[in-house]
Amino acid sequence: QSVLTQPPSASGTPGQRVTISCSGSSSNIGSNYVHWYQQLPGTAPKLLIYRNNQRPSGVPDRFSGSKSGTSASLAISGLRSEDEADYYCAAWDDSLSGRVFGGGTKLTVL
Amino acid sequence: EVQLVESGGGLVKPGGSLRLSCAASGFTFSSFNMNWVRQAPGKGLEWVSSISSSSTYIYYAESVRGRFTISRDNAKNSLFLQMNSLRAEDTAVYYCARGDSIGAPDYWGQGILVTVSS
């Protein structure tokens, strides 16, 4: 049972916009930055969004992040087949004094 | 280019020990926090431990506290994870990850498999 809650799966067709939610609490998302990671099959995770809504260089602007209260969201617009991957949210948890991850969302491009 | 290369994984019996290493290059290692994150087969990511740039601050997940020890050698650009009293549930790919300005993983190594089985 992950501290951060994500839907286990999401899907969309090419060109569509999909969003993935991440729900936490006041001790994690509510008081700390959220990061998002993309993990393509058989590879290491890659940083996609940092500090709630910032994109590292090289990440397309089709990817965007937002945060409100104790929840965060990752939006992917103009969905492409290469976006098919697992997506994870993460944040520091003040109560646990540790970093927590969501359980991951498997995105399928139909 | 940031590079993180893990080594030291393998098969170990329950109750045994293993020491993972992570060789860092392409950045000033001594200026960055570092992390270990693991992923059990077919499962999600689980943060294991973090260490600050000068080893002043160290944190562990509850699941490994008292059994695992994180350390670093800034002179050798290396990160370590000493794993004792290993259990079957510690079986996972272990990733070394650099911490950004707030310690969150930004660059990740390719991972190393640790299998705990008799």
Side-chain angles (χ1 to χ4, degrees):
Chain A
Q1 195 81 334
S2 301
V3 174
L4 303 183
T5 301
Q6 297 180 236
S9 63
S11 63
T13 56
Q16 262 191 333
R17 182 177 187 271
V18 297
T19 61
I20 297 171
S21 62
C22 176
S23 178
S25 67
S26 58
S27 63
N28 42 65
I29 293 178
S31 52
N32 293 292
Y33 288 116
V34 177
H35 288 55
W36 288 91
Y37 300 91
Q38 177 192 58
Q39 187 175 32
L40 297 170
T43 70
K46 168 192 166 185
L47 180 64
L48 204 59
I49 297 289
Y50 67 99
R51 294 193 179 215
N52 303 333
N53 55 19
Q54 303 299 302
R55 279 186 310 276
S57 60
V59 173
D61 59 7
R62 300 186 297 107
F63 295 90
S64 62
S66 64
K67 177 182 130 173
S68 178
T70 59
S71 294
S73 291
L74 173 71
I76 310 171
S77 60
L79 200 61
R80 304 174 68 160
S81 58
E82 56 260 41
D83 297 333
E84 194 160 279
D86 293 324
Y87 293 85
Y88 295 90
C89 59
W92 183 261
D93 191 296
D94 294 331
S95 295
L96 298 174
S97 291
R99 194 159 302 281
V100 291
F101 283 90
T105 298
K106 184 175 184 61
L107 176 63
T108 302
V109 181
L110 302 169
Chain B
E1 179 194 4
V2 172
Q3 285 201 331
L4 299 165
V5 180
E6 302 92 341
S7 60
L11 175 64
V12 61
K13 289 181 168 54
S17 298
L18 212 54
R19 189 190 196 212
L20 302 184
S21 299
C22 172
S25 61
F27 64 101
T28 305
F29 181 74
S30 59
S31 297
F32 287 84
N33 297 341
M34 295 296 295
N35 301 272
W36 287 101
V37 179
R38 69 184 181 183
Q39 186 170 34
K43 302 297 184 181
L45 300 173
E46 179 189 15
W47 170 80
V48 173
S49 182
S50 297
I51 186 169
S52 63
S53 57
S54 57
S55 304
T56 302
Y57 300 102
I58 289 176
Y59 303 96
Y60 296 101
E62 185 61 38
S63 58
V64 306
R65 191 172 295 132
R67 300 187 300 122
F68 289 12
T69 302
I70 191 172
S71 62
R72 63 191 296 163
D73 185 337
N74 286 344
K76 295 183 178 180
N77 292 341
S78 295
L79 176 71
F80 306 101
L81 186 67
Q82 176 66 43
M83 303 185 295
N84 299 330
S85 303
L86 282 162
R87 306 166 179 167
E89 53 265 36
D90 295 320
T91 295
V93 172
Y94 284 74
Y95 294 101
C96 163
R98 193 184 77 167
D100 66 5
S101 60
I102 59 169
D106 54 5
Y107 288 92
W108 299 63
Q110 84 286 353
I112 190 82
L113 178 62
V114 171
T115 303
V116 184
S117 175
S118 54

